[in-house]
Amino acid sequence: MGEELKVIVFALANEEYGIEVDKVRTVERMAPITRVPKTPPFVKGVMNLRGVVVPVIDLKGRFGLKETEPTEQSRIIVVAVNDMEVGFIVDAANDVTDIDEDAIDQPPEVVGGIKAKYLRGIAKLDDRLLIMLNLSEVLNKNEIVQLEQMEA
Amino acid sequence: MDMNAYLSMFIDEAGDHLQALNDNMLQLENTPEDLTIVQAIFRSAHTLKGMAATMGFEDLASLTHEMENVLDLVRNSKLRMDSFIFDTLFKSLDALESMVQDITAGGAGSADVSAIVASLQAIVKGDYNAGGGPAAGGAAEGAAGAGDSGLQLDQYQVSVLQQSMDSGHQVYHITVTVREDCVLKAARAYMVFDLLERHGEVVKSEPSVQDLEQEKFDRTFTVFAISSLSQEELQQQIAAISEIEEAAVTKLDPESLQILARPNVPSAPAAPSAPPAAGAPEAAREAKRQAAAAKAQTAAAGGALPRTIRVDIDRLDTLMNLFSELLIDRVRLEQLASEIRKPELTDTVEHLTRVSGDLQNIVLKLRMVPVESVFNRFPRMIRDLAKSLGKKVELVITGAETELDRTVIDEIGDPLVHLLRNSIDHGLESVSERIAAGKPETGTVHLRAYHSGNHVFIEVEDDGRGINREKVKNKAIASGILTAEEAGKMSDDEIAMLIFAPGFSTADTISDISGRGVGLDVVRSKIASLGGNVTIRTSEGKGTKFSVELPLTLSIISAMLVKLGSEKYAIPLSSIAETAIIRQEQIRLIHGNRMIEYRGAVIPVLSLSRILESPDYDESAEEETEVIIVRKGDKWAAVMVDEFIGQSEIVLKTLGSYLPNTDIVAGATILGDGQVALIIDPNGLIK
C-alpha cells in the first residue's frame, strides 16, 4: 500500500479529474469575473475572493477542449501552487475521495485530448478512472508567454 | 528561553551600531582631533562587543575588542589617528559587516580576521605605542575577558545613573543572596526585579537578566537600580521576599559611580561598596569626562529618545490588508446608506468614514520610513569609490528625513547606488582635469530628497563634465538606437535620456565601477516598476542632474472610476490633468492620427474601448464623448471613455502572480459592490 492521497474530484467535459486537496484553497460557485484585456482566450479574468484578486482560467480552454457556457453545476476551484493562486472553471466539483498513491499509473500520451505533460497519472478507483493533473505544468507561465507570442 | 528570540533583535541592533560606527568614522576622518566622536565610536564598538559576546559570536566580539583597544588609546590621546589606522578600522568595519551578514543568513558569524587583528594589535603595540605602554597592557588584560563585562558599567548606564542622581533619585547597588535550599531561584530573582521595577528601574544586573531567568547563577546576584524608596525600606522589602537570605543595599554617590564606570579596571564583585581606589584622581576625571560626553550625546538627541518599538514588517502588511478590507466595506456601506436614506444610518456611516480616514493616515504613516535608512550607507561608499578612482569628492546629503513607503525604500537603494557611481565615475572629472577647467579640485555630488505633491523626488547632481551630446548621439547612431535624422531633432535632455537605453555606454574604457553598459537601463526599469520616473538635466562642462520621481505610497491611491459599457475601470487621479466632453466633429484627422485641439496645442485622441478591446462599447456611435486628459512628462493625450462614475480611494492589488501586470493594466481593485475593477496606467497608453 502506498500513501493515501485525498483528492477533489471534478468533471471536465465527460471525464473525471483529481487535484490533491492540499493544493486546493477553496471551491466556489460561479461569481462575477472581470475581463482582463490582452490575455489568452482561456484566461477569463479576475474575481474577488474575499478581498484577494484571483485570476480565473477556463480549464477546458486551457487544455484546448471546447469551452461551454457555465451551468448551475459549474464551480471555480481555487488552487495555490508555487506562490500562485488561480481559479479553475470546471463543469462540476462535488466529491472528495481517498486514493492510493500506488494506484496512480503513468498516463498514456494523450488522454481525452489533453497532452500528457499536464497529467500526473491516471488513478484507478473501483470502476472509475481519475485523471490526476500536474498543476505546476498547467500553470506554467512560459507557456502563456509562448501562446501570446503565437497570437501576436 | 531561546537565543533565537534575541537573534533578530541582535541583527537589527548590530546593523544600527555598524551604521553609527561608519558614520562616526567618516566624521572623524574629517575632524581627526575631535575626541567626542572617538567617544561615540568607542561606545558603539563597546556595545556591539557586549552584544556579540552575549550572543556567543566570539569572532565578532574579539574583533570589536581589538578595535576598542585602538580606540581606547586614541580617546586617551595616547595615539593620533592617521590614514593607516583609519584604513585598518574601516577594514575591520567591513569584516564586522560581513560577519553580521553571515549571521543574518543563518551562519555562525565566524570569519578569519587574523590579518586585521594583527594590524590592530600592531597599532596598539607598534610604533604608535609611544607612551601608551600601560594602557596597552591594561587593554590586553581586558582581552582575556572580552564580553565578560564584570561589574563595569558602560557609559550609557553611567550616564543614566548620573542623570538620576542629578535629578534627585537614589541609586543603589544591591547584592541579593538567596537561601541555599531555595528551589525556584529564578522566580525569587524575578520577584526582586519586580519589586525594584515597581519603585524605579533596574539599570544593570550581574549576571544578566537572561542568565538569571535561566537560573544561571549560583546564589548571589547584584543589581544597580534607581529607586524612589529609601535604603532601609528597600532592604526590608527585598528581605521580605521568601527564600531570600540576605539583601545588601548600598546607596551610591557620584564619586563611587565614576570609579565604577572606569572601563578595563577589574573591579571586585565581592566588594563593590568599597570600590577599588586604583588610579583614583585620574580615573575619576576620565570617567567624568566620559559621563559628560555621554550626557551631551543624549542631550543632543533631544533629551529623551523617541520611544519606539520594532515591528515585524509582515505584521504591518497584514494590518494594511485588513485595513483595505475595511475600506472596501466602508465604500459598500456608503453606497447602502445613500440608497436607504435613513439619517441615523447616514450619520453613522459618515462618522465611520471620518474615523477610517484618520486610521488610513496612521496606517500609511506606519509604513513610512525616512530615506535616511538608504542614504546613510552612501557616504562610506562614496569615500571608498573616490579613493579607488583617485578623485576628490564631497557628498552633500539634504532631505534625508523625507519619508517614503517601506516597499519603495527597500527597492530604491540599488538604483541610487548606480546613479551615484555613475556620477562619480563618469560625471566628475579627475583632479587634474578639474583644475584645468578652472573648477575646485574637489567635486561635489548632491543627493537630495524632497516631497512634492503625491511624489517624492530624489536627485543626484554632480558638478562634473556633463553629458557630451555629440558622443552620446554618435554612439546611439552607431549602435542603431536611432538614425542621424532623428538625432538632429532631439533636445539635449532627450539625447541625454539615451544613456538609459539598454546596452548603452559612453565610457571609453571599461572600469570596475561602471561603463559596461549594464546599469542605467536597469535603473530606469527598476524605477518604472516602482511607479516612478527618472529624468536627466545636463549642461556640458557644468554637471548633470538625475531626478528620480517616486510615488509616496504604493498601496492606496485616489482614482477616477470610469465606465466602458458594462465594464468599470479605475484611472489614477495623479495622472489625470483634467476631464472634458468633446464632440465628434472636434476630432480631426492629422496624418492619419486622430487629434483634438486642447488649450492651444494639438494632442492625440485615444480610444480606451479599442485599446482594451471592449466587448460592448464603441464611442464612435456617440455624438459627444467624455475624455480624460492624461499626461506623461510633456506628452499629453485625450482618452475617450463612456462615462465618469466618480472619484474614489482605491486599494491597489496585483492581479496575482499568474497574470503579470501589463503596460496598460497596472493592477486591480475591489469596488464597493464587491466586483473587481482593473486599474489603467495612462502612462502605458502614451508611447
Side-chain angles (χ1 to χ4, degrees):
Chain A
M1 278 288 275
E3 249 174 82
E4 285 277 288
L5 209 59
K6 235 181 208 345
V7 295
I8 289 200
V9 181
F10 63 93
L12 222 51
N14 299 317
E15 307 274 354
E16 278 192 308
Y17 293 80
I19 300 180
E20 295 94 316
V21 163
D22 55 358
K23 301 219 166 103
V24 175
R25 268 203 53 200
T26 169
V27 179
E28 301 282 316
R29 286 178 180 278
M30 290 301 285
I33 294 172
T34 304
R35 185 184 68 91
V36 179
K38 316 237 176 210
T39 47
F42 62 80
V43 175
K44 291 295 139 195
V46 287
M47 67 182 277
N48 170 13
L49 180 70
R50 290 182 280 283
V52 180
V53 176
V54 177
V56 178
I57 67 176
D58 190 317
L59 209 50
K60 278 191 285 188
R62 177 71 184 88
F63 293 146
L65 302 175
K66 196 173 171 302
E67 290 180 28
T68 49
E69 283 296 309
T71 65
E72 261 300 294
Q73 257 64 53
S74 294
R75 293 288 181 274
I76 298 176
I77 302 181
V78 180
V79 299
V81 187
N82 307 341
D83 292 334
M84 279 189 279
E85 273 189 10
V86 179
F88 292 150
I89 301 180
V90 300
D91 289 346
N94 34 30
D95 196 6
V96 180
T97 186
D98 290 321
I99 55 171
D100 186 346
E101 189 116 33
D102 286 348
I104 303 179
D105 288 339
Q106 282 297 309
E109 262 314 294
V110 172
V111 177
I114 301 172
K115 285 202 207 104
K117 67 168 177 175
Y118 298 138
L119 306 180
R120 200 183 133 187
I122 309 277
K124 284 190 287 284
L125 194 71
D126 304 326
D127 53 345
R128 292 149 77 189
L129 285 181
L130 266 191
I131 305 168
M132 299 293 297
L133 288 184
N134 179 352
L135 282 183
S136 49
E137 201 56 48
V138 173
L139 296 180
N140 189 337
K141 273 199 273 187
N142 295 335
E143 203 160 333
I144 301 182
V145 176
Q146 279 167 12
L147 278 168
E148 277 170 355
Q149 281 165 350
M150 267 159 59
E151 274 170 36
Chain B
M1 264 206 275
D2 187 6
M3 271 301 181
N4 276 331
Y6 300 107
L7 190 59
S8 65
M9 214 193 296
F10 168 77
I11 290 168
D12 281 347
E13 284 182 14
D16 290 351
H17 283 296
L18 281 174
Q19 186 57 49
L21 282 169
N22 255 319
D23 288 350
N24 285 322
M25 284 289 289
L26 286 171
Q27 240 185 63
L28 187 64
E29 206 172 19
N30 292 331
T31 48
E33 302 304 318
D34 192 345
L35 286 183
T36 55
I37 304 177
V38 185
Q39 295 288 5
I41 297 174
F42 186 87
R43 265 195 303 279
S44 293
H46 185 80
T47 319
L48 192 59
K49 181 183 91 175
M51 281 161 45
T54 321
M55 296 295 294
F57 299 121
E58 296 300 334
D59 284 355
L60 232 170
S62 62
L63 179 56
T64 14
H65 183 78
E66 296 297 337
M67 289 175 65
E68 232 182 278
N69 290 347
V70 173
L71 291 167
D72 193 40
L73 295 185
V74 176
R75 67 173 183 171
N76 291 333
S77 307
K78 285 175 180 148
L79 181 66
R80 287 175 62 84
M81 293 299 281
D82 61 26
S83 70
F84 177 73
I85 301 181
F86 272 114
D87 283 347
T88 315
L89 287 175
F90 272 124
K91 265 187 230 153
S92 317
L93 288 184
D94 286 342
L96 290 177
E97 223 163 303
S98 57
M99 285 181 193
V100 172
Q101 265 163 20
D102 181 45
I103 293 166
T104 313
S110 51
D112 181 18
V113 289
S114 48
I116 300 174
V117 169
S119 313
L120 287 170
Q121 280 168 346
I123 294 172
V124 174
K125 291 183 189 134
D127 310 334
Y128 303 94
N129 203 15
E141 211 172 292
D148 171 21
S149 43
L151 248 187
Q152 291 160 25
L153 293 169
D154 64 29
Q155 278 73 20
Y156 171 71
Q157 288 159 344
V158 170
S159 79
V160 168
L161 294 177
Q162 187 96 34
Q163 277 175 2
S164 326
M165 280 184 197
D166 292 350
S167 54
H169 289 95
Q170 289 89 353
V171 173
Y172 297 104
H173 174 269
I174 307 163
T175 308
V176 180
T177 313
V178 293
R179 286 225 304 267
E180 204 165 350
D181 56 352
C182 173
V183 191
L184 295 167
K185 287 193 292 184
R188 298 306 164 209
Y190 170 77
M191 287 168 80
V192 173
F193 273 78
D194 190 44
L195 172 74
L196 291 173
E197 271 159 9
R198 249 181 295 150
H199 299 286
E201 200 183 332
V202 175
V203 176
K204 156 113 186 154
S205 81
E206 176 60 39
S208 68
V209 182
Q210 287 94 327
D211 285 347
L212 290 176
E213 284 176 3
Q214 292 173 54
E215 295 206 353
K216 282 188 189 161
F217 66 107
D218 186 22
R219 277 176 60 207
T220 312
F221 60 91
T222 54
V223 285
F224 284 94
I226 305 164
S227 181
S228 52
L229 296 175
S230 74
Q231 190 170 345
E232 293 83 54
E233 279 174 325
L234 201 58
Q235 181 132 21
Q236 273 171 13
Q237 294 200 14
I238 296 177
I241 296 171
S242 53
E243 296 192 311
I244 297 286
E245 190 167 277
E246 192 196 353
V249 180
T250 321
K251 192 171 172 190
L252 291 184
D253 50 22
E255 275 71 45
S256 51
L257 178 65
Q258 275 154 16
I259 295 164
L260 277 169
R262 171 95 169 102
N264 290 337
V265 170
S267 57
S273 47
E282 202 202 330
R285 219 180 321 120
E286 157 90 0
K288 215 178 235 162
R289 217 173 60 218
Q290 284 166 20
K295 232 158 112 184
Q297 182 87 358
T298 330
L305 290 163
R307 288 156 59 86
T308 57
I309 51 165
R310 287 177 195 275
V311 181
D312 193 338
I313 190 90
D314 284 346
R315 288 197 196 168
L316 280 186
D317 287 342
T318 316
L319 180 65
M320 190 72 199
N321 274 340
L322 289 174
F323 180 71
S324 345
E325 291 296 287
L326 198 64
L327 213 60
I328 290 164
D329 288 341
R330 184 188 94 188
V331 176
R332 201 177 298 188
L333 272 178
E334 278 171 350
Q335 272 179 4
L336 287 175
S338 70
E339 279 164 24
I340 295 170
R341 287 171 193 278
K342 256 195 142 185
E344 293 93 336
L345 180 62
T346 317
D347 285 354
T348 316
V349 170
E350 266 171 19
H351 184 249
L352 179 75
T353 306
R354 278 196 298 274
V355 172
S356 68
D358 289 351
L359 190 60
Q360 174 177 339
N361 281 337
I362 296 278
V363 170
L364 285 182
K365 270 205 193 104
L366 280 183
R367 301 181 48 89
M368 301 297 265
V369 183
V371 280
E372 195 181 0
S373 58
V374 181
F375 282 8
N376 57 17
R377 65 176 149 129
F378 292 145
R380 174 68 200 284
M381 185 194 93
I382 300 291
R383 171 197 178 269
D384 292 356
L385 198 57
K387 251 195 164 165
S388 72
L389 289 169
K391 293 181 180 177
K392 288 193 176 166
V393 184
E394 191 192 356
L395 178 70
V396 183
I397 294 181
T398 40
E401 71 287 344
T402 312
E403 289 186 327
L404 260 174
D405 192 280
R406 174 67 197 245
T407 22
V408 184
I409 291 276
D410 287 345
E411 302 289 327
I412 196 64
D414 288 346
L416 287 180
V417 167
H418 268 299
L419 289 179
L420 284 168
R421 280 170 166 249
N422 185 74
S423 280
I424 290 164
D425 194 22
H426 296 317
L428 291 180
E429 311 91 331
S430 65
V431 173
S432 52
E433 278 176 279
R434 287 187 72 90
I435 293 170
K439 293 182 179 180
E441 60 175 28
T442 304
T444 311
V445 175
H446 285 273
L447 180 61
R448 293 188 202 95
Y450 58 90
H451 271 281
S452 172
N454 256 337
H455 286 84
V456 165
F457 287 83
I458 299 180
E459 292 176 348
V460 175
E461 182 176 11
D462 64 62
D463 63 347
R465 56 171 79 93
I467 294 172
N468 186 322
R469 180 189 162 103
E470 288 308 307
K471 207 161 147 188
V472 172
K473 195 175 82 184
N474 295 336
K475 194 93 178 189
I477 295 169
S479 43
I481 295 171
L482 78 171
T483 64
E485 192 193 342
E486 284 171 330
K489 291 186 208 147
M490 292 169 86
S491 71
D492 280 4
D493 290 339
E494 280 172 316
I495 293 274
M497 284 304 283
L498 288 173
I499 64 171
F500 284 112
F504 196 91
S505 173
T506 54
D508 302 320
T509 50
I510 288 170
S511 74
D512 221 18
I513 290 114
S514 50
R516 276 165 300 195
V518 288
L520 285 182
D521 65 314
V522 179
V523 169
R524 185 163 68 167
S525 55
K526 183 96 224 178
I527 290 168
S529 75
L530 293 171
N533 193 17
V534 55
T535 50
I536 308 179
R537 281 281 141 81
T538 183
S539 136
E540 202 165 347
K542 294 212 182 100
T544 310
K545 179 162 94 181
F546 291 92
S547 185
V548 178
E549 184 184 354
L550 292 165
L552 211 50
T553 172
L554 297 176
S555 26
I556 298 184
I557 56 170
S558 314
M560 168 75 104
L561 297 180
V562 299
K563 227 169 158 174
L564 285 183
S566 59
E567 298 182 325
K568 289 175 187 167
Y569 291 93
I571 300 177
L573 225 46
S574 55
S575 44
I576 298 179
E578 67 180 288
T579 57
I581 294 179
I582 56 166
R583 289 188 307 280
Q584 280 293 340
E585 65 258 28
Q586 282 179 291
I587 301 178
R588 287 187 270 166
L589 265 185
I590 298 173
H591 216 74
N593 296 319
R594 306 204 299 162
M595 313 283 264
I596 57 159
E597 230 182 274
Y598 167 72
R599 298 199 186 281
V602 177
I603 61 171
V605 180
L606 304 172
S607 160
L608 196 58
S609 65
R610 234 171 272 178
I611 293 167
L612 299 176
E613 298 155 349
S614 169
D616 53 5
Y617 174 68
D618 182 10
E619 68 281 330
S620 57
E622 289 188 343
E623 194 135 295
E624 283 189 334
T625 181
E626 279 87 350
V627 291
I628 288 173
I629 313 286
V630 295
R631 62 174 294 190
K632 174 194 184 184
D634 47 4
K635 290 181 187 153
W636 300 73
V639 180
M640 294 189 282
V641 299
D642 179 4
E643 208 177 295
F644 302 133
I645 300 171
Q647 274 184 37
S648 182
E649 298 273 291
I650 60 167
V651 180
L652 207 73
K653 303 202 173 214
T654 66
L655 295 179
S657 50
Y658 184 70
L659 288 180
N661 292 346
T662 58
D663 348 331
I664 307 171
V665 179
T669 189
I670 295 170
L671 300 178
D673 58 6
Q675 293 234 28
V676 180
L678 299 182
I679 300 169
I680 301 299
D681 178 8
N683 285 334
L685 300 174
I686 304 177
K687 293 275 151 54

